[in-house]
């Protein structure tokens, strides 16, 4: 559970709050966002087609069937990552910024071309990490790039606002010392905590059905993503799912 799950739920959450939102898949060659959004069969044109002037945004954008304010711009499965040119991406983002309140860029993992492009143009960055040493170390490297190689850094503008989202959090395993705690991760990354998404089977179920997990109001993960969106928009929402549930006497008796 990671960046694409988060991009899909953040975009859906913002749109449901009345914000005109578009989410773009920067993972050229893999294209997962449209699957998680459940619109893969409606893809005709993609991000690269728009950059290459083979289609306009009106032809390439897919409106979400569940929320009129949400649109998806899919990635290409067949093109090379180098098709994402700085000039082309800048033109598309400028055009979108004129019509949308939020443009969510779903960055691929690591520091390959799609990721550096998404980072270069960012105003805000949500760093998605798991409570494992290797994941946190990778995120620390990304923060260095965000602070030094973004357009804002080049133009000596206000730095990118950076937030931490901790996913796959299992309070029981943290308690047993098998996983880093929230405090451990924050000590390393020193970012404002936007949310804690608990380990949940609902995420896989939602992904397989082409539904952003934020729409599953009954699940812990869905509720946690709703909390995250509210915090991002400036609401004061206490963090949940930090502590392991205490088992009752009957639960312990029957090994629950």
């Amino acid at each position: 559970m990671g960046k694409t799950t988060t991009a899909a739920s953040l975009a859906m959450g913002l749109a449901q709050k009345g914000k005109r939102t578009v989410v773009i898949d920067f993972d050229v060659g893999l294209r997962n966002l449209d699957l998680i959004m459940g619109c893969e069969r409606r893809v005709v044109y993609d991000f690269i087609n728009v950059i290459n002037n083979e289609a306009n945004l009106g032809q390439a954008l897919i409106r979400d069937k569940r929320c009129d304010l949400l649109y998806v711009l899919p990635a290409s499965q067949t093109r090379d990552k180098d098709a994402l040119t700085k000039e082309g991406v800048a033109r598309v983002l400028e055009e979108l910024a004129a019509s949308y309140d939020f443009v969510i860029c779903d960055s691929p993992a690591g520091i390959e071309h799609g990721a550096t492009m998404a980072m270069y143009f960012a105003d805000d960055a949500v760093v998605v990490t798991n409570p494992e040493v290797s994941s946190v170390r990778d995120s620390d490297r990304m923060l260095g790039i965000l602070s030094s190689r973004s357009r804002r850094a080049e133009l000596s503008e206000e730095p990118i606002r950076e937030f931490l989202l901790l996913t796959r959090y299992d309070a029981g395993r943290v308690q047993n010392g098998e996983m880093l705690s929230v405090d451990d991760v924050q000590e390393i990354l020193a970012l404002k905590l936007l949310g804690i998404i608990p380990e949940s089977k609902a995420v896989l179920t939602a992904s397989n059905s082409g539904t952003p997990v934020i729409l599953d109001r009954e699940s812990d993960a869905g509720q946690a993503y709703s909390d995250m969106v509210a915090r991002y928009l400036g609401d004061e929402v206490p963090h949940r799912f930090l502590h392991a549930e205490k088992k009752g006497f009957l639960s312990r008796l029957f090994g629950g």
Side-chain angles (χ1 to χ4, degrees), residues 2-16 21 23-24 32-38 64 66 70 72 104-106 207 210-215 225 228-229:
K3 297 172 185 64
T4 302
T5 295
T6 297
S9 284
L10 175 57
M12 178 62 79
L14 290 169
Q16 288 189 319
T21 305
V23 57
I24 307 176
N32 284 325
L33 179 66
D34 53 307
L35 291 170
I36 286 183
M37 295 298 295
D64 188 88
R66 296 153 298 211
L70 178 57
V72 178
I104 308 295
C105 301
D106 178 22
S207 296
T211 308
V213 72
I214 194 170
L215 294 176
Y225 273 117
M228 176 198 82
V229 173

Side-chain angles (χ1 to χ4, degrees), residues 13 35 38 41-42 49 84 111 165 172 178 184 193 195 202 222 251 256:
L35 291 170
R41 291 183 184 165
R42 297 164 60 207
N49 291 137
L84 284 176
I111 51 171
L165 185 75
E178 299 167 19
D184 293 334
L193 184 63
S251 174

